[in-house]
């Protein structure tokens, strides 16, 4: 009967079950009673008020919607709404004794929920569902302690005594492993570390006051390891059988320093602030960095990667130490996990497929190579020059359909004149002959359409221009032949001795990689297989959604974020017409000039970035730089910092680098909330040219 009642009240409707467990499972012992009142209220909402939203849980929603700040950076908002470093130190300096909380104040963990550490512990023990077991046994131990002693304060030994009975793991072994795991992950809060050091310089008395089940000896060791030395005394709830939450732990501090002025610093509004003040101890609130995480951060992610991503981002951005630029935050918050995950995906593919060398294509490969080399030392990687424009010009020899599609059809009705288009094709010499060209259709009849240099390319004259170029194909081939020969020299040197290489790019059709593959095997006949690695493919919103499908199916192209065969929700969400391609390409932008192609001999022109390679007797030709070079550097800075932080925290846990494409895309889904308002604000800072120039 009890189960029937439970199923009727809790399990019958998904939304009720989710909200009840979200409160009940994480509630403190005293607050758990309120979960039953919540359960009654949820059922009233459903059956009496007919709130049918409770039929579906939050996790069933397709995509998250978050209201992101777009008029102020997150770090700036944090600093503006809290005490700055000097103010913090100044206020503490007025007192004789400074008391600090430990976790989320002096010490950070790289998770948004501290109990996520139990997932890692469960993996080490090879016990399934260990996090739930660990939490349940802690609760049982607290209830038992209350029955015996009238309080809930327990130590780690109490918890593991219960766990040993439940799963058979030796308590001593379990305690040692839990301490070791905590020690590996815990690190100093950079903001509070500076506060601590400056207070210590003033020779103030420093104590630690914390509600914790870990023994003081371990906590002292943990703090000293992270640079918090010179602590006079530690007050731990489990050893004193009283807590900050009930106020009695603060009474002990007051008792030990009767003639001293005392102030306490912590992140819990009730335990650290309200209770301290009730006991006559002034307090300074250090807002928990994860407090507002649900309002702005991605949660539709796998549990471990999501917790790690949010923890690292929140700790870094909300510590309060620095104000970062909007571009830096774009890189750190929305690009960092993607780049780390993409690099890990590439690395895994290369190991499994005996890849000889990894080629990062300019310019999207710039930041990818930097992060890859940081994560995977001593691997054979190379940054190589390739671009849409360089590939498209060489396609004139074997795929004129794509050549004209990119140079002409993508520019129809965009107010671009014929002279500019011919210049971008590097066929300006043909422009002067347009006046005398007599256009004929496929049947040989005169069309009557005449082109001028100043004409805007439209649907009416595009076929005329195309036929004109085809009529002068010999000239175009001669023009591009030297480029083809120079490109062959360049790539023969790079591919020498390689049986299989992977080229890395952002996407989207994968035409760059496939063009290089075709040229290598069919035109240059270099005995090396090329596989194209792309972040994402064309989607249902593209005019050619299936352009790459056979290459993806055959394995000649490999996609990370999504494709026709995986993460199809992203395939339907990612819309180039809403600038989604631009948002992603912006993450991989580079403070280097656009690569426009190859040329034989020393073809360097004055006042350009062209580079002559004497060993090959070829010239690498470059165009202009993208706008906002400093902003691009800031994006890269943010990505590199995230990658360094992620590597530092999880270097001993290689499985934490198995970041799925869906997880890597999740932060960008949040950024795309509310009609891409945030992303459009970032885009305005740049002027990217995505199409062939």
């Amino acid at each position: 009967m009890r189960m029937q009642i439970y199923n009727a009240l809790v399990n019958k409707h998904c939304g009720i079950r989710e909200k009840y467990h979200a409160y009940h499972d994480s509630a403190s012992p005293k607050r758990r009673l309120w979960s039953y009142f919540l359960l009654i209220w949820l059922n009233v909402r459903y059956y009496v008020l007919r709130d049918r939203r409770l039929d579906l849980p939050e996790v069933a929603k397709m995509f998250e919607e978050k209201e992101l700040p777009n008029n102020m950076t997150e770090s700036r908002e944090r600093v503006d709404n809290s005490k700055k470093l000097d103010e913090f130190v100044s206020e503490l300096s007025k007192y004789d004794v400074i008391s600090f909380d430990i976790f989320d104040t002096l010490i950070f963990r790289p998770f948004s929920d501290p109990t996520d550490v139990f997932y890692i512990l469960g993996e080490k023990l090879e016990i399934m569902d260990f996090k739930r077991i660990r939490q349940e046994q802690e609760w049982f131990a607290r209830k038992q302690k209350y029955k015996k002693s009238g309080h809930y304060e327990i130590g780690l030994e109490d918890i593991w005594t219960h766990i040993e009975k439940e799963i058979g793991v030796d308590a001593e072994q379990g305690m040692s492993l839990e301490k070791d795991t905590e020690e590996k992950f815990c690190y100093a809060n950079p903001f509070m570390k500076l506060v601590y050091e400056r207070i210590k310089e003033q020779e103030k008395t420093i104590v630690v006051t914390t509600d914790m089940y870990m023994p003081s000896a371990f906590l002292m060791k943990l703090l000293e390891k992270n640079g918090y030395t010179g602590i006079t005394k530690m007050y731990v709830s489990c050893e004193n059988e009283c807590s900050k939450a009930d106020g009695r732990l603060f009474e002990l501090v007051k008792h030990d320093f009767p003639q001293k002025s005392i102030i306490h610093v912590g992140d819990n509004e009730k335990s650290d602030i309200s209770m301290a003040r009730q006991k006559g101890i002034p307090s300074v609130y250090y807002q928990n960095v994860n407090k507002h995480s649900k309002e702005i951060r991605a949660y539709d992610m796998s549990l471990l990667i999501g917790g790690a991503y949010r923890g690292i981002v929140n700790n870094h951005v909300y510590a309060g130490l620095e104000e970062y630029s909007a571009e830096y935050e774009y890189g750190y918050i929305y690009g960092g996990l993607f780049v780390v995950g993409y690099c890990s995906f590439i690395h895994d593919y290369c190991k499994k497929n005996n890849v000889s060398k990894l080629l990062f294509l300019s310019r999207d490969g710039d930041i990818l190579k930097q992060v890859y080399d940081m994560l995977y030392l001593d691997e054979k990687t190379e940054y190589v020059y390739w671009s849409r424009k360089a590939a498209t010009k060489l396609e004139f020899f074997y795929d004129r359909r794509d050549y004209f599609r990119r140079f002409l059809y993508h520019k129809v009705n965009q107010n671009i004149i014929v002279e500019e288009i011919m210049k971008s094709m590097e066929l300006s010499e043909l422009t002067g002959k347009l006046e005398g060209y007599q256009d004929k259709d496929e049947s040989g009849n005169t069309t009557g359409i005449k082109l001028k240099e100043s004409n805007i390319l439209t649907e009416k004259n595009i076929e005329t221009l195309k036929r004109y170029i085809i009529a002068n194909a010999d000239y175009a081939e001669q023009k591009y032949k030297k480029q083809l020969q120079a490109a062959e020299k360049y790539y023969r040197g790079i591919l020498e001795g390689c049986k299989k290489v992977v080229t890395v790019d952002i996407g989207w059709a994968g035409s760059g990689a496939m063009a290089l593959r075709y040229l290598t095997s069919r035109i240059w006949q270099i005995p090396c297989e090329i596989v194209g690695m792309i972040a994402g493919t064309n989607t249902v919103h593209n005019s050619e959604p299936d352009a790459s499908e056979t290459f993806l199916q055959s394995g000649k192209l490999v996609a990370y974020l999504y494709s026709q065969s995986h993460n199809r929700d992203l395939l339907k969400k990612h819309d180039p017409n809403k600038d989604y391609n631009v948002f992603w390409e912006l993450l991989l932008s580079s403070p280097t000039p656009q690569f426009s192609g190859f040329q034989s001999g020393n073809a360097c022109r004055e006042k350009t970035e062209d580079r002559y390679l004497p060993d090959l007797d070829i010239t690498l030709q470059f165009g202009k730089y993208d706008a906002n070079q400093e902003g691009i550097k800031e994006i890269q800075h943010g990505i590199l910092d995230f990658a360094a932080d992620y590597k530092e925290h999880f270097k001993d846990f290689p499985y934490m680098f198995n970041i799925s494409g869906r997880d890597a895309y999740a932060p960008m889904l949040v950024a795309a909330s509310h009609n891409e308002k945030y992303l459009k604000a970032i885009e305005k800072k740049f002027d990217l040219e995505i199409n062939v120039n």
Side-chain angles (χ1 to χ4, degrees):
M1 182 177 293
R2 181 181 178 188
M3 283 305 302
Q4 288 176 339
I5 294 173
Y6 181 85
N7 286 330
L9 293 178
V10 178
N11 287 337
K12 193 171 183 179
H13 300 287
C14 298
I16 293 177
R17 181 175 67 241
E18 179 191 62
K19 287 178 169 55
Y20 168 73
H21 280 294
Y23 184 90
H24 177 84
D25 295 352
S26 60
S28 63
K30 290 184 178 179
R31 290 181 61 196
R32 285 202 173 191
L33 179 64
W34 290 101
S35 64
Y36 304 119
F37 291 102
L38 172 64
L39 181 60
I40 294 171
W41 165 241
L42 290 172
N43 278 271
V44 169
R45 274 177 56 187
Y46 186 85
Y47 291 106
V48 179
L49 303 179
R50 305 185 70 80
D51 186 352
R52 293 300 183 253
R53 291 174 297 178
L54 294 173
D55 273 325
L56 286 175
E58 289 292 322
V59 294
K61 292 181 179 179
M62 184 61 75
F63 300 114
E64 293 178 290
E65 288 284 324
K66 302 289 175 76
E67 189 71 48
L68 301 181
N70 55 66
N71 57 356
M72 182 185 294
T73 63
E74 291 186 31
S75 54
R76 173 69 180 275
E77 185 178 31
R78 163 72 169 186
V79 171
D80 281 358
N81 293 336
S82 62
K83 293 182 182 297
K84 293 180 173 62
L85 181 64
D86 289 341
E87 296 174 0
F88 216 103
V89 173
S90 177
E91 186 161 354
L92 299 185
S93 299
K94 301 173 185 176
Y95 296 84
D96 302 318
V97 179
I98 293 85
S99 166
F100 288 97
D101 174 44
I102 299 181
F103 294 99
D104 296 317
T105 302
L106 294 179
I107 293 292
F108 280 160
R109 298 181 182 96
F111 294 103
S112 55
D113 185 334
T115 60
D116 285 350
V117 174
F118 300 151
Y119 286 125
I120 306 293
L121 192 55
E123 190 276 332
K124 288 183 176 182
L125 292 168
E126 297 188 341
I127 298 293
M128 293 190 69
D129 205 23
F130 179 78
K131 179 182 177 181
R132 197 177 317 278
I133 294 169
R134 171 64 175 74
Q135 290 176 296
E136 286 176 351
Q137 297 310 309
E138 179 178 339
W139 167 232
F140 293 150
R142 290 187 186 280
K143 285 200 299 183
Q144 190 175 62
K145 175 66 75 170
Y146 184 79
K147 289 179 181 178
K148 290 182 177 180
S149 309
H151 64 80
Y152 291 101
E153 300 310 317
I154 58 173
L156 190 63
E157 185 175 356
D158 298 311
I159 298 170
W160 274 96
T161 298
H162 279 262
I163 294 175
E164 183 179 57
K165 295 174 183 177
E166 186 72 10
I167 61 174
V169 174
D170 179 74
E172 288 296 329
Q173 177 191 350
M175 285 190 291
S176 177
L177 194 59
E178 183 167 341
K179 290 176 186 177
D180 179 64
T181 305
E182 287 280 13
E183 191 174 345
K184 279 184 180 296
F185 283 124
C186 289
Y187 64 103
N189 173 352
F191 176 86
M192 206 57 69
K193 182 73 180 303
L194 289 178
V195 171
Y196 187 95
E197 288 173 352
R198 289 172 61 173
I199 289 298
K200 186 179 174 183
E201 288 173 358
Q202 299 176 25
E203 298 184 351
K204 299 288 184 179
T205 299
I206 299 175
V207 300
V208 166
T209 311
T210 183
D211 288 347
M212 191 58 185
Y213 46 76
M214 288 287 188
S216 59
F218 169 77
L219 294 174
M220 188 68 80
K221 176 185 174 184
L222 182 67
L223 289 167
E224 290 177 349
K225 179 183 177 181
N226 285 282
Y228 295 108
T229 59
I231 296 171
T232 300
K233 192 166 184 178
M234 182 174 290
Y235 300 85
V236 184
S237 61
C238 67
E239 294 178 349
N240 291 281
E241 297 189 337
C242 59
S243 66
K244 292 184 298 181
D246 63 24
R248 291 187 294 149
L249 203 58
F250 290 118
E251 292 177 355
L252 295 181
V253 179
K254 289 180 66 177
H255 176 270
D256 289 346
F257 300 96
Q259 305 300 321
K260 304 287 186 178
S261 57
I262 307 168
I263 191 169
H264 179 71
V265 182
D267 70 291
N268 188 293
E269 292 181 33
K270 182 180 183 298
S271 298
D272 290 309
I273 307 305
S274 297
M275 292 310 299
R277 291 173 182 173
Q278 282 186 29
K279 297 301 178 180
I281 296 179
S283 57
V284 177
Y285 180 49
Y286 178 76
Q287 182 174 290
N288 187 296
V289 294
N290 295 301
K291 182 176 181 180
H292 300 297
S293 181
K294 288 188 177 180
E295 299 173 14
I296 55 176
R297 209 67 70 220
Y299 271 77
D300 187 15
M301 303 175 70
S302 62
L303 291 171
L304 269 175
I305 300 302
Y309 161 72
R310 290 186 297 272
I312 289 174
V313 169
N314 294 342
N315 291 350
H316 185 78
V317 175
Y318 275 86
L321 185 60
E322 282 190 63
E323 294 178 21
Y324 302 106
S325 68
E327 294 93 334
Y328 177 93
E329 288 188 5
Y330 186 57
Y332 194 96
I333 300 172
Y334 302 103
L337 186 72
F338 156 61
V339 172
V340 171
Y342 192 18
C343 287
S344 177
F345 179 82
I346 296 164
H347 177 68
D348 187 57
Y349 179 89
C350 291
K351 282 199 305 181
K352 291 177 180 177
N353 291 275
N354 299 315
V355 173
S356 307
K357 186 188 285 189
L358 197 51
L359 305 182
F360 291 89
L361 303 184
S362 61
R363 293 179 295 163
D364 297 331
D366 181 9
I367 186 63
L368 289 171
K369 185 178 187 301
Q370 292 182 59
V371 172
Y372 192 94
D373 290 345
M374 176 200 299
L375 297 177
Y376 308 106
L377 305 175
D378 303 323
E379 293 202 9
K380 205 167 185 181
T381 67
E382 190 164 354
Y383 182 75
V384 298
Y385 291 99
W386 197 240
S387 66
R388 288 181 177 89
K389 184 173 184 179
T392 302
K393 287 184 293 182
L394 301 186
E395 282 183 322
F396 192 83
F397 293 96
Y398 69 92
D399 188 358
R400 291 184 183 175
R401 178 188 177 278
D402 195 56
Y403 172 87
F404 286 116
R405 183 172 67 94
R406 291 181 177 277
F407 272 127
L408 299 185
Y409 291 98
H410 283 184
K411 298 183 178 181
V412 172
N413 300 325
Q414 294 187 34
N415 203 35
I416 304 174
I417 64 174
V418 171
E419 182 181 20
E420 292 177 359
I421 290 173
M422 297 295 282
K423 184 179 180 181
S424 73
M425 300 167 82
E426 299 179 10
L427 300 176
S428 295
E429 292 86 345
L430 294 178
T431 310
K433 301 178 182 179
L434 278 172
E435 297 291 342
Y437 175 66
Q438 189 68 31
D439 182 40
K440 295 181 181 180
D441 61 21
E442 294 178 356
S443 301
N445 300 317
T446 302
T447 64
I449 298 176
K450 294 183 179 180
L451 279 176
K452 295 181 179 179
E453 298 177 18
S454 58
N455 289 153
I456 293 173
L457 187 68
T458 65
E459 293 177 352
K460 293 182 179 180
N461 61 25
I462 186 173
E463 295 301 327
T464 299
L465 181 57
K466 177 181 176 181
R467 283 192 289 268
Y468 172 67
I469 294 170
I470 292 174
N472 290 276
D474 289 344
Y475 173 83
E477 285 185 358
Q478 189 62 34
K479 182 75 173 179
Y480 296 142
K481 186 176 181 180
K482 291 182 179 180
Q483 299 188 30
L484 182 67
Q485 293 170 340
E488 179 182 357
K489 284 184 180 180
Y490 179 75
Y491 276 100
R492 274 196 182 278
I494 288 168
L495 299 176
E496 184 178 2
C498 297
K499 292 183 178 181
K500 184 174 185 177
V501 303
V502 167
T503 64
V504 180
D505 202 356
I506 184 72
W508 301 96
S511 57
M514 292 302 95
L516 188 57
R517 180 186 174 97
Y518 189 97
L519 289 167
T520 298
S521 63
R522 308 228 175 182
I523 305 295
W524 303 329
Q525 296 186 347
I526 300 174
C528 177
E529 181 187 2
I530 290 180
V531 173
M533 186 75 67
I534 52 178
T537 72
N538 281 354
T539 71
V540 295
H541 302 283
N542 289 89
S543 57
E544 306 99 4
D546 56 352
S548 314
E549 190 55 27
T550 52
F551 297 103
L552 289 160
Q553 191 66 33
S554 66
K556 294 174 182 177
L557 272 179
V558 180
Y560 171 54
L561 294 173
Y562 60 82
S563 68
Q564 291 280 348
S565 61
H566 78 289
N567 294 337
R568 287 182 59 82
D569 62 325
L570 301 180
L571 189 79
K572 298 172 184 177
K573 174 70 172 177
H574 186 100
D575 188 353
N577 302 304
K578 293 182 178 180
D579 280 352
Y580 278 43
N581 283 6
V582 178
F583 303 145
W584 283 97
E585 294 199 18
L586 181 56
L587 283 174
L588 300 189
S589 55
S590 172
T592 57
Q594 300 166 354
F595 178 68
S596 59
F598 304 89
Q599 195 58 260
S600 295
N602 189 349
C604 290
R605 302 183 299 272
E606 293 183 3
K607 298 181 180 179
T608 73
E609 296 295 326
D610 291 357
R611 183 145 52 95
Y612 176 59
L613 304 179
D615 292 346
L616 299 175
D617 191 30
I618 65 171
T619 298
L620 303 177
Q621 296 183 310
F622 298 90
K624 62 182 181 180
Y625 290 87
D626 290 329
N628 192 1
Q629 287 285 291
E630 290 306 312
I632 290 172
K633 291 176 183 177
E634 281 287 283
I635 290 175
Q636 289 201 347
H637 186 191
I639 290 172
L640 287 167
D641 280 357
F642 180 92
D645 290 344
Y646 199 91
K647 179 182 179 181
E648 174 62 26
H649 296 309
F650 297 110
K651 59 182 180 292
D652 296 326
F653 302 89
Y655 58 83
M656 289 298 294
F657 291 83
N658 298 331
I659 301 166
S660 71
R662 186 58 176 76
D663 278 344
Y665 202 115
M668 189 66 85
L669 288 174
V670 169
S673 298
H674 299 281
N675 297 316
E676 300 83 35
K677 188 176 178 181
Y678 167 80
L679 291 172
K680 289 173 183 175
I682 294 292
E683 185 185 2
K684 284 181 180 179
K685 297 176 178 291
F686 300 87
D687 184 24
L688 293 183
E689 293 185 15
I690 303 303
N691 291 326
V692 176
N693 297 318

